[in-house]
């Protein structure tokens, strides 16, 4: 039987930013399959030049409306590394809490609002408001807890204010920390309910052997700084990030592409899980086992499961951190900063994968050169290379243009791309 | 969103994004405590970031982001043709936002620096009102969801919305936030339009003026006080130029 299939998606929905999918199958063979990023470039690296170090984190947060806390954290870490600043222990805990809040709000936004409609046969979460209000309320409690954590620790969920070079400007009052701990504890049954929901999702059976890049945890599942690792065995220090990313410009789109040991690699929850699963909280490990997530996993659609597994880990870790902060009591959260000429790199695991900021400073603490390598920039080539393999795999009898379009769209969504971020 | 048991009219909303971080649209899905009521009060018929449904005609278009490429101009004009009310959502849409800082650079050189031998199409950044007429501007980086909710309520009940005329300073006083300007930080609170509930000073960061100039702000007086307190001309100018909300003064 002759199998011809056409997929043309202009400005894919339920992703952050603008990208197009194009697939052509003729006689069961893929003759063309592309992922094109068409987002408008903003030239952040150029705008960062000349900026004072106190401005860098505020400006670079604006690279992304979803992972602004991650950008701010990578930015202040790069600056502190350039200036040789060590932040206080309480500030380290607060920053990790802000990071956890962002992971929770972003992962739940993705799972419930952006991804779930595909598995539930709905165009969006909106029809579910009336059809399945309980599930929507569950989603809002979980996402809301993440946002309230960000608000309390970073001053705001989107474009944080308290995460500054030298530490964290404000220590939330004890009562607020305790209230947050209680709220997070109350979400534990909600997490179990979310697991039941996701257990019912029909995850497409598709695998493509992939190189996974992430931070390498030593004692803890990694989020802020440390060694860089790839599942193909490459290991580098944080400041050698360029050897891990190898960004290059492509003719066809406004996002750059990256490569390491193969034509493309992947970052994100699946990469973190594959490279660090042993460091997960026991409850998170238990959930991974229950949902069939096992390292090394090469099915990009399983990233949804990895997100929920990370949420369980992060929730338990948040409760621990909040209690440690309460025990610390009145603690110093900022140190004095003296700018100096030099350069520094900050690597942070943001919801979509590893993010790098790299600044070169002059004597006055103003940026001479800036470079930001975004997780989705690292994933774009991998999405592009997944597409033909996915199309080939599903170019079978009974496949229709509509069904293949849905599968391709779901593939891209499984990476939770942050496209405007990837172009910046 | 009933008031005294009376059902307001339903309006069809559409959300569109241009050059920016999409953080303002994201606020529409935040403030979870009231999100269900918010979503049930309006018909969201086109919102690419969260929905695959596309249904055509709408009453209110919320437009997020600035304009920096020719295809965006075309898309925006089409949205303007179809919308009864066009709302600029956030500082990028209202003023150009941080993207405007790009305009101070040589765009060819900027392109070479980022993309090398494969330059990408780009135009100087413009605010939405510089391209098509705008009916309402909601500033903020990001917008305050609470303020967006208030404005939507006014749209549903057909009551004009009055933006606060007071500066951010007043909201710091209401929250008992210790004045950062008095403690030596540069803060644009005295000259920036209130309505955000002053989250930045409460989080330990002076105001950056993302909502633009307050009514009757005495800019010259503020600048001279800031200089007296040791803030350099450059620091003040950079701060006021950051979001483009004080264009005539920077
Ligand atoms: Ni992002």
């Amino acid at each position: 039987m002759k199998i011809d299939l056409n997929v043309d998606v202009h400005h894919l929905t339920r992703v952050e930013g603008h990208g197009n999918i194009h697939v052509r199958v003729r006689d069961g063979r893929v003759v063309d399959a592309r992922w094109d990023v068409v987002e408008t470039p903003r030239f952040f690296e150029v705008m960062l030049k000349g900026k004072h170090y106190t401005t860098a984190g505020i400006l670079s947060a604006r690279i992304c409306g979803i992972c602004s806390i991650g950008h701010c954290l990578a930015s202040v870490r790069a600056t502190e590394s350039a200036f040789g600043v060590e932040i206080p222990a309480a500030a380290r805990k607060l920053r990790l809490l802000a990071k956890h809040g962002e992971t929770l709000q972003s992962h739940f936004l993705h799972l419930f609002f952006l991804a779930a409609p595909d598995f539930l046969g709905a165009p969006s979460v909106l029809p579910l408001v009336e059809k399945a209000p309980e599930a929507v309320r569950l989603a809002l409690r979980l996402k809301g807890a993440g946002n309230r954590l960000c608000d309390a620790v970073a001053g705001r969920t989107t474009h944080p204010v308290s995460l500054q070079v030298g530490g964290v400007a404000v220590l939330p009052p004890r009562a607020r920390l305790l209230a947050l701990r209680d709220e997070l504890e109350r979400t534990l049954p909600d997490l179990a309910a979310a697991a039941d929901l996701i257990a019912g999702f029909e995850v497409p059976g598709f695998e493509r052997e992939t190189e996974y890049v992430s931070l390498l945890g030593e004692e803890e599942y990694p989020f802020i700084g440390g060694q860089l690792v790839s599942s193909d065995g490459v290991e580098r220090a944080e400041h050698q990030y360029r050897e891990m990313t190898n960004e290059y410009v492509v003719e066809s789109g406004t996002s750059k592409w990256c490569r390491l040991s193969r034509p493309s690699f992947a970052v994100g929850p699946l990469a973190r899980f594959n490279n660090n699963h042993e460091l997960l909280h026991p409850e998170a490990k238990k959930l991974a086992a229950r949902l069939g997530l096992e390292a090394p996993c090469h099915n990009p659609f399983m990233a949804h499961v990895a997100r929920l597994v990370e949420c369980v880990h992060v929730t338990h870790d948040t409760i621990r951190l909040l209690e440690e902060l309460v025990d610390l009591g009145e603690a110093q959260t900022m140190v004095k900063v003296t700018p100096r000429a030099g350069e520094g790199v900050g690597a942070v695991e943001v919801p979509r994968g590893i993010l790098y900021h790299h600044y070169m400073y002059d004597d006055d603490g103003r940026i001479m050169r800036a470079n930001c390598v975004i997780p989705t920039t690292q994933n774009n080539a991998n999405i592009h290379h997944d597409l033909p393999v996915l199309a080939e795999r599903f170019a079978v009898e009974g496949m229709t243009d509509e069904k293949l379009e849905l599968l391709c769209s779901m593939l891209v969504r499984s990476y939770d791309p942050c496209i405007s971020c990837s172009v910046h | 969103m009933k008031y005294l048991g009376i059902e307001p009219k339903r309006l069809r909303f559409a959300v569109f994004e241009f050059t920016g971080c999409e953080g303002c649209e994201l606020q529409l899905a935040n403030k979870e405590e009231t999100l269900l009521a918010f979503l049930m009060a309006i018909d969201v018929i086109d919102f690419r970031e969260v929905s695959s449904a596309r249904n055509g005609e709408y009453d209110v278009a919320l437009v997020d982001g600035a304009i920096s490429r020719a295809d965006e101009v075309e898309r925006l004009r089409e949205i303007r043709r179809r919308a009864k009310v066009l709302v600029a959502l956030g500082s990028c849409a209202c003023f150009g936002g941080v993207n405007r800082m790009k305009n101070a650079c040589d765009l060819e050189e900027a392109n070479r620096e980022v993309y090398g031998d494969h330059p990408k199409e780009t135009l100087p950044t413009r605010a939405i009102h510089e391209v098509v007429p705008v009916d309402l501007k909601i500033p903020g980086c990001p917008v305050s969801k609470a303020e967006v909710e208030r404005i939507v309520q006014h749209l549903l009940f057909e009551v004009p919305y009055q933006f606060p005329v007071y500066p951010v300073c007043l909201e710091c006083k209401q929250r008992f936030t210790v004045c950062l300007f008095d403690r030596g930080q540069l803060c644009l609170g005295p000259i920036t339009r209130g309505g955000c509930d002053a989250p930045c000073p409460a989080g330990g960061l002076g105001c950056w003026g993302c909502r633009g100039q307050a009514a009757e702000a005495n800019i010259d007086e503020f600048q001279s006080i800031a200089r007296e307190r040791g803030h350099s001309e450059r620091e003040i100018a950079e701060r006021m130029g950051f979001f483009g909300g004080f264009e005539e003064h920077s």
Side-chain angles (χ1 to χ4, degrees), chain B residues 43-69:
Chain B
D43 290 324
V44 181
I45 62 153
D46 197 335
F47 189 173
R48 190 198 52 79
E49 194 177 349
V50 300
S51 175
S52 301
R54 287 179 184 179
N55 307 314
E57 294 305 311
Y58 35 83
D59 302 302
V60 183
L62 303 177
V63 176
D64 166 354
I67 301 301
S68 74
R69 209 168 57 191

Side-chain angles (χ1 to χ4, degrees), chain B:
Chain B
M1 223 179 250
K2 282 187 207 168
Y3 180 61
L4 299 177
I6 295 174
E7 197 73 62
K9 67 183 209 180
R10 282 188 84 83
L11 290 177
R12 287 164 306 170
F13 277 72
V15 186
F16 301 99
E17 64 290 309
F18 293 90
T19 302
C21 75
E22 299 195 4
C24 288
E25 322 200 332
L26 183 68
Q27 303 315 305
L28 300 176
N30 278 354
K31 198 162 176 289
E32 291 79 7
E33 315 87 85
T34 56
L35 186 58
L36 275 183
F38 180 76
L39 291 177
M40 287 167 90
I42 59 177
D43 290 324
V44 181
I45 62 153
D46 197 335
F47 189 173
R48 190 198 52 79
E49 194 177 349
V50 300
S51 175
S52 301
R54 287 179 184 179
N55 307 314
E57 294 305 311
Y58 35 83
D59 302 302
V60 183
L62 303 177
V63 176
D64 166 354
I67 301 301
S68 74
R69 209 168 57 191
D71 62 315
E72 293 189 319
V73 174
E74 281 318 300
R75 257 177 76 221
L76 180 61
R77 288 198 178 124
E78 177 60 23
I79 291 164
R80 175 68 273 189
R81 271 193 287 277
R82 290 164 66 173
K84 288 189 193 135
V85 174
L86 190 144
V87 181
L89 188 72
S91 301
C92 293
C94 292
F95 317 124
V98 293
N99 307 299
R100 217 185 185 92
M101 284 188 267
K102 176 190 89 171
N103 296 358
C105 314
D106 177 336
L107 292 187
E108 258 179 53
E109 208 181 297
N111 226 316
R112 221 180 355 261
E113 180 164 341
V114 176
Y115 291 112
D117 299 333
H118 301 276
K120 309 296 180 189
E121 187 197 341
T122 187
L123 295 172
T125 302
R126 280 182 290 172
I128 299 299
H129 72 90
E130 293 173 277
V131 181
V132 297
V134 168
D135 301 299
L136 187 70
K137 294 178 192 167
I138 309 179
C141 186
V143 292
S144 146
K145 175 71 182 294
E147 186 171 58
V148 173
E149 280 180 352
R150 288 196 291 277
I151 291 168
V152 168
Q153 287 160 11
H154 282 255
L155 286 168
L156 297 182
F157 287 100
E158 297 182 75
V159 183
Y161 181 73
Q162 174 67 56
F163 281 96
V165 292
Y166 50 79
V168 171
C169 270
L170 201 90
E171 293 175 331
C172 273
K173 300 256 172 348
Q174 282 174 333
R175 299 181 63 148
F176 301 104
T177 300
V178 178
C179 182
L180 293 177
F181 195 39
D182 283 347
R183 295 182 64 184
Q185 266 201 49
L186 182 59
C187 178
L188 300 187
I191 53 170
T192 299
R193 179 201 282 179
C196 54
D197 202 26
C200 301
L205 185 74
C207 174
W208 284 66
C210 72
R211 295 170 58 83
Q213 190 177 325
E216 292 168 36
N218 190 339
I219 304 285
D220 295 336
E221 182 64 18
F222 171 78
Q223 288 176 329
S224 98
I225 293 173
R227 277 193 300 269
E228 270 167 40
R229 293 186 181 194
H231 302 290
S232 71
E233 206 74 60
R234 182 175 181 184
E235 185 187 8
I236 300 167
E238 282 178 348
R239 183 72 69 94
M240 289 179 67
F242 200 76
F243 290 104
F246 295 85
E247 264 304 283
E248 54 273 37
H249 288 277
S250 54

Side-chain angles (χ1 to χ4, degrees), chain A residues 33 59 122 131 161 179 184 202 216 231 245 268 285-286 322 327 336 360 412 417:
Chain A
L59 178 55
K131 270 188 240 155
V161 299
L184 267 293
E202 209 179 298
L216 176 64
S231 56
T245 53
K285 282 184 187 161
K286 223 191 275 175
L322 286 166
D327 290 343
K336 197 174 153 359
M360 201 181 290
V412 178

Side-chain angles (χ1 to χ4, degrees), chain A residues 13-14 38 143 147 158 254, chain B residues 27 29 32 48 52 69 115:
Chain A
T13 60
R14 277 185 280 123
V38 294
K143 178 162 128 19
N147 273 332
T158 307
T254 47
Chain B
Q27 303 315 305
E32 291 79 7
R48 190 198 52 79
S52 301
R69 209 168 57 191
Y115 291 112

